[in-house]
Structures are given as C-alpha cells and as structure tokens.
Amino acid sequence: MNISNGWMTAAAFNGEQIRVKIIPFKRKQSTLSGAVWVEVCKQVQIESGEKFSLNIDGKSFYTGLNCLYKLIF
C-alpha cells in the first residue's frame, strides 16, 4: 500500500499518476436537539486542492470526461 502521511497514488489507464488523499464528505443533518455533521461518503482530494467523489466501488474516481483514475493499494 503506497501511503505516506495520508497521501496515496492513483493511476489512469494512460499511465499518468497523481497523489491523492481520502477525506470524508460531511452534510449537516437536523435533529431534535439541533444540527450535527454526518459523514455521507468519501471524497478524493488531489494535491492542488480539488475534490472529487469516489465511485460506488470505492476504488476509482473521475477528474473529468473520460479521465478515470484508480487508487493503487
């Protein structure tokens, strides 16, 4: 597993590699006693700060049209 300080490597099918960090995606949920933040799913943050949603498989994500990256474990 290629993890150093929370950063991982993701690779595209054309061979390009980028460093990413898995972060939680949270939404505000109303309760009787106020509001709480609830983790809904996971997101991927790349080194430039952009965030992308993980696909349903939890191992891949798109950065644009036809730009699929897979996490390298």
Side-chain angles (χ1 to χ4, degrees), residues 17-52:
Q17 293 188 348
I18 56 174
R19 289 176 36 95
V20 299
K21 185 184 282 190
I22 306 297
I23 58 171
F25 178 63
K26 295 184 178 183
R27 293 273 181 152
K28 193 181 237 184
Q29 181 177 357
S30 298
T31 63
L32 292 174
S33 60
V36 295
W37 288 94
V38 177
E39 183 177 325
V40 178
C41 62
K42 298 285 186 185
Q43 284 185 322
V44 174
Q45 181 179 9
I46 60 177
E47 287 182 312
S48 66
E50 290 181 85
K51 297 177 184 174
F52 302 100

